[in-house]
């Protein structure tokens, strides 16, 4: 299996992640969380099948993995 990492700036990466969520029919709670913005150093994780369809697999922020919020260091 391959892996692709996309590093980008807002608002582009936020819009791309949100579009993938809509395309993959993500739950309303996940769409609401993503609609609130894409914080510094956040990561949205998607699996992509051989047909190119995206499926939401996770959302990480520095705080969710034990890090400090931007400006809290």
């Amino acid at each position: 299996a391959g892996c692709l990492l996309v590093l980008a700036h807002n608002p582009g990466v936020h819009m791309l992640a949100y579009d993938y969520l809509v395309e993959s029919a993500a739950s309303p709670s996940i769409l609401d969380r993503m609609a609130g913005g894409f914080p510094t150093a956040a990561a949205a994780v998607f699996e992509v099948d051989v047909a190119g369809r995206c499926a939401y697999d996770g959302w990480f922020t520095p705080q969710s993995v034990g890090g400090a919020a931007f400006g809290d260091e």
Side-chain angles (χ1 to χ4, degrees):
C3 179
L4 171 67
L5 172 65
V6 176
L7 298 175
H9 293 277
N10 272 327
V13 71
H14 175 239
M15 292 170 21
L16 176 66
Y18 192 84
D19 287 349
Y20 280 168
L21 287 172
V22 170
E23 181 181 311
S24 66
S27 73
S29 65
I30 293 170
L31 288 170
D32 287 346
R33 186 174 3 159
M34 183 69 74
F38 208 90
T40 300
V45 180
F46 296 88
E47 290 186 27
V48 181
D49 67 16
V50 294
R53 294 179 299 249
C54 297
Y56 174 75
D57 194 40
W59 163 264
F60 302 97
T61 64
Q63 298 86 347
S64 72
V65 293
F70 183 72
D72 288 347
E73 51 286 326

